Amino acid sequence: MKNRRWIASVVEIALGLVLTVCGALGVVDTYWSGMGGGLLGVGIIQLVRYLRYYSNETYKSKVDVEVNDERNKFIALRAWAWAGFWYVMAGAAGSIAFQVLGKPELATMAGGSVCLLMAFCWISRIYLRRKY
């Protein structure tokens, strides 16, 4: 597991550099150069976090408690549930608002994303009921 994290960070940094350089040279458009900058930033931050985790025992124990504590797991699951709920509400309201404003393409995208999320929720519920 430790090696995969390092490898993923290095791949993110390398891909980020390639996309950023290609964007600077005009090979790719600004979307991909922006994606490269984001990947570069994420890769560096993750690499720094892993270095700190494996070299600092105090930080390692603090992170392990945060990750494995039941209360923190409960709070994280509730936060995901709330975020999903508010995403569905915002998407549904956005779909209606876009349709009223005469933007049917945006209304379809907002409605489709809500439907996709609800389908994922339904499939996950079926899977988890069978598993547990």
Side-chain angles (χ1 to χ4, degrees), residues 79-92 117:
W80 270 108
W82 283 22
F85 172 79
W86 287 111
Y87 179 84
V88 168
M89 292 297 122
L117 182 63

Side-chain angles (χ1 to χ4, degrees), residues 4 7 12 16 23 30 34 36 46 51 53 68 72 78 88 95 107 114 116 119 132:
R4 279 190 267 163
I7 291 169
E12 287 172 343
T30 57
Q46 290 290 12
L51 286 171
Y53 180 82
N68 297 319
N72 287 335
R78 293 301 298 165
V88 168
S95 179
V114 169
L116 185 61
Y132 301 108

Side-chain angles (χ1 to χ4, degrees), residues 27-106:
V27 176
V28 295
D29 62 12
T30 57
Y31 174 84
W32 292 109
S33 62
M35 180 72 73
L39 280 172
L40 184 62
V42 168
I44 291 171
I45 289 170
Q46 290 290 12
L47 195 58
V48 168
R49 285 181 59 210
Y50 299 142
L51 286 171
R52 185 174 176 199
Y53 180 82
Y54 292 115
S55 64
N56 186 339
E57 283 299 319
T58 306
Y59 179 73
K60 182 177 183 176
S61 64
K62 179 183 170 190
V63 169
D64 288 343
V65 166
E66 278 187 28
V67 169
N68 297 319
D69 182 51
E70 290 296 322
R71 181 175 180 271
N72 287 335
K73 287 181 182 180
F74 173 77
I75 291 170
L77 289 174
R78 293 301 298 165
W80 270 108
W82 283 22
F85 172 79
W86 287 111
Y87 179 84
V88 168
M89 292 297 122
S95 179
I96 294 167
F98 286 134
Q99 192 64 36
V100 169
L101 294 172
K103 306 279 186 181
E105 301 88 10
L106 294 176

Side-chain angles (χ1 to χ4, degrees), residues 119-132:
F120 285 152
C121 183
W122 179 66
I123 291 167
S124 299
R125 187 180 193 106
I126 290 172
Y127 172 78
L128 291 171
R129 279 189 174 176
R130 289 186 180 163
K131 185 174 180 179
Y132 301 108

